[in-house]
Amino acid sequence: MASIKVTFVQVDGVEKAIADAVPGESLMELAKANGVEGIIGDCGGGCACATCHVYVDPQWMAVVGAPDEIEEMTLDMVSDIHKSNSRLCCQIMVRPELDGLRVTVAPGE
Ligand code: FES
């Protein structure tokens, strides 16, 4: 199976490129397993904490998709830094179409 590469740009500008993402895991789990700074995942992927907030590179938004209603409500908790390309990365599952994806970690509270 072809490997799937996802790049996280940390708040400090350091890029963490992860080349062995596995379909079915979330980007939050992937980030935590690879020590991406700024992805906390406090609620364990329950879409309740917004500590896994990322900005999806705009050209990827169509592939990644928009947040659902519940995710929007959680994103509202961080409304001051919530952008049109904001997503909670625990709600983004790795899949082959996301190979090459680039997201930027949103600043913490
Ligand atoms: S880990 Fe809590 S909202 Fe994503």
Side-chain angles (χ1 to χ4, degrees), residues 28 40-53 74 88-91:
M28 182 275 281
I40 316 293
D42 259 345
C43 74
C47 198
C49 70
T51 63
C52 63
H53 183 189
T74 306
L88 297 175
C89 72
C90 68
Q91 302 301 304

Side-chain angles (χ1 to χ4, degrees), residues 26-105:
S26 73
L27 290 195
M28 182 275 281
E29 290 164 326
L30 180 68
K32 286 189 61 101
N34 288 278
V36 176
E37 281 176 27
I39 300 292
I40 316 293
D42 259 345
C43 74
C47 198
C49 70
T51 63
C52 63
H53 183 189
V54 297
Y55 303 122
V56 174
D57 270 19
Q59 68 268 30
W60 278 97
M61 271 312 272
V63 183
V64 172
D68 66 15
E69 215 169 294
I70 294 168
E71 187 178 333
E72 279 287 359
M73 275 166 46
T74 306
L75 278 168
D76 278 346
M77 297 188 330
V78 288
S79 55
D80 48 333
I81 53 169
H82 176 186
K83 301 182 189 176
S84 60
N85 59 338
S86 284
R87 287 295 313 264
L88 297 175
C89 72
C90 68
Q91 302 301 304
I92 302 173
M93 296 302 146
V94 173
R95 52 185 205 273
E97 301 81 61
L98 297 186
D99 182 37
L101 175 66
R102 215 178 123 92
V103 302
T104 301
V105 179

